[in-house]
Amino acid sequence: MREKQIGSIIVFYAIAVLFRFLAVKTNLFHFTDNEFLQILLRGIGPAIGAFVSITIFKIPLKLSLKGNYRNLFLPLTIFWIFPVILIGTVTFIQEGRFPIMLLFTVLVYGLLEEIGWRGFLQEQLKHLPKFQSITIIAVLWFVWHLNFEFTPSNMIFLGVLILGTWGIGKVYSSTYSLLAVAGFHSLNNFFRNGLNEKELLLIAVLLLIWIGFMVFYKRKFQTDFPVSELTND
């Protein structure tokens, strides 16, 4: 890698880890009792690191919420509004509550992370062999969580991150949509108390619908065109 790329990754990752450390290991961000804001602060580091690094090193990186889709409405509806309605409705039927704010907060949290992991870091490492790129991203992602105990559950978590890096990475390279990858990223985070049969079924339904939509859209509209330009959409 060129020195500029290495430097940009170091700056990005240092900021990402710093904000993660401040959020989960100190009381600095405990200035609010708002549960949703506290969740977002734990995941804001990768986004800040990416934007700072892009600015400092003048990286011509293109980020987009809609990506290769023709408008913002499609990925917003499929990857954000639909899962909120589906999971919220099931929760309401079973528990009598519709956690719309929590569900959207989880999606925004995923977006903040994915700006860094996929939008920035994957793009910076795309010239490397695929296995090498996936391994680097997964290990950095794992270390970013600041949980260094080599327990069986943590090793399983590392495996999940490797699989997630591969899978979410393919979604990003297919769509270049930060909304889409944030949706995939959030699948596990939607369910904070572990996975039971209901949660696994909901995840399976969402995956089938999302992957089916991506395949259908690509075949129908032949979306093999360049990454969308940086937008505020």
Side-chain angles (χ1 to χ4, degrees):
M1 287 190 290
R2 293 174 296 180
E3 290 183 3
K4 179 179 178 180
Q5 286 179 307
I6 295 174
S8 69
I9 292 172
I10 291 174
V11 169
F12 153 74
Y13 195 62
I15 293 173
V17 171
L18 173 62
F19 273 83
R20 180 70 175 183
F21 177 82
L22 294 176
V24 303
K25 300 295 185 180
T26 76
N27 295 322
L28 186 63
F29 290 169
H30 292 180
F31 55 84
T32 176
D33 293 328
N34 187 297
E35 174 190 9
F36 308 117
L37 181 56
Q38 288 183 354
I39 291 173
L40 296 180
L41 288 173
R42 292 197 291 270
I44 200 171
I48 292 178
F51 286 125
V52 169
S53 192
I54 289 170
T55 301
I56 291 176
F57 292 91
K58 296 180 173 56
I59 299 171
L61 195 59
K62 298 174 180 179
L63 302 170
S64 176
L65 294 178
K66 68 183 181 66
N68 286 344
Y69 294 108
R70 296 188 175 186
N71 57 65
L72 183 63
F73 176 76
L74 276 174
L76 180 63
T77 301
I78 297 297
F79 299 107
W80 283 51
I81 296 176
F82 175 68
V84 167
I85 292 175
L86 176 64
I87 297 172
T89 301
V90 171
T91 303
F92 181 79
I93 292 172
Q94 294 188 335
E95 303 177 16
R97 62 187 183 91
F98 197 106
I100 185 170
M101 278 299 298
L102 176 60
L103 294 173
F104 273 113
T105 299
V106 169
L107 283 162
V108 174
Y109 176 95
L111 175 62
L112 292 172
E113 278 203 46
E114 288 306 318
I115 288 171
W117 305 127
R118 248 54 62 181
F120 176 80
L121 188 56
Q122 179 172 307
E123 285 297 299
Q124 290 299 94
L125 299 177
K126 64 183 180 181
H127 62 286
L128 295 178
K130 186 67 66 177
F131 178 78
Q132 188 175 347
S133 172
I134 290 172
T135 301
I136 292 173
I137 295 171
V139 170
L140 292 180
W141 195 6
F142 176 78
V143 173
W144 174 81
H145 285 86
L146 302 180
N147 190 347
F148 303 115
E149 296 180 6
F150 287 94
T151 61
S153 61
N154 272 352
M155 294 303 97
I156 292 173
F157 180 55
L158 175 58
V160 169
L161 291 185
I162 292 173
L163 181 62
T165 299
W166 170 78
I168 301 175
K170 287 185 71 68
V171 172
Y172 187 72
S173 61
S174 269
T175 68
Y176 290 101
S177 168
L178 290 171
L179 289 179
V181 293
F184 278 87
H185 180 119
S186 301
L187 275 179
N188 183 59
N189 292 341
F190 280 134
F191 310 106
R192 303 169 67 192
N193 298 318
L195 298 176
N196 55 38
E197 291 183 1
K198 179 198 75 175
E199 279 79 27
L200 290 172
L201 178 60
L202 287 173
I203 288 175
V205 169
L206 287 170
L207 283 175
L208 285 173
I209 291 175
W210 286 350
I211 294 172
F213 167 75
M214 289 170 57
V215 171
F216 169 79
Y217 190 90
K218 186 171 184 178
R219 287 179 177 176
K220 184 172 180 62
F221 297 103
Q222 298 180 343
T223 55
D224 290 325
F225 40 76
V227 183
S228 302
E229 293 186 358
L230 175 63
T231 65
N232 293 319
D233 49 18

